[in-house]
Amino acid sequence: GALVLDGHGPDGHRVADVVRDFLFRRLCSSLPSKRLENLDEYRISMLTLISGALEDAEAMLFAGEEAADVRASGATACIVIHDQKKKWLFSSWVGNCRCVLGE
């Protein structure tokens, strides 16, 4: 998988660092070790996992638990997870960023 973040504002670098670390820990600890056999259920579970991690990262920032000033700073994020066994890519983004894939 890959995480790409870009901070903006006076404390954007710190916000991006905090969110990157949070998302990396959350996703690594939450990814399923076994894949669901039903492909639709598997796809939905992965997308729910990614969107939940992003929502939790936002809540963590606004709770003030980290030393990052989010009053005038923030970050964009792009997440890509590659399931090599099923040959699937899951991507998600927040803010002004996108993932472009090429062959």
Side-chain angles (χ1 to χ4, degrees), residues 22-23 26 49-62:
F22 178 87
L23 289 174
R26 172 62 63 87
L49 171 75
I50 294 169
S51 63
L54 289 167
E55 290 172 4
D56 290 347
E58 179 184 34
M60 175 268 307
L61 279 174
F62 284 101

Side-chain angles (χ1 to χ4, degrees), residues 32-85:
S33 58
K34 293 179 72 177
R35 290 151 187 89
L36 298 173
E37 292 300 319
N38 182 306
L39 295 181
D40 286 333
E41 287 179 16
Y42 177 56
R43 181 183 57 81
I44 291 168
S45 71
M46 288 297 291
L47 295 176
T48 300
L49 171 75
I50 294 169
S51 63
L54 289 167
E55 290 172 4
D56 290 347
E58 179 184 34
M60 175 268 307
L61 279 174
F62 284 101
E65 298 171 4
E66 297 291 333
D69 185 0
V70 294
R71 293 174 294 173
S73 300
T76 64
C78 184
I79 300 170
V80 177
I81 298 173
H82 181 204
D83 184 330
Q84 293 177 336
K85 185 174 182 179

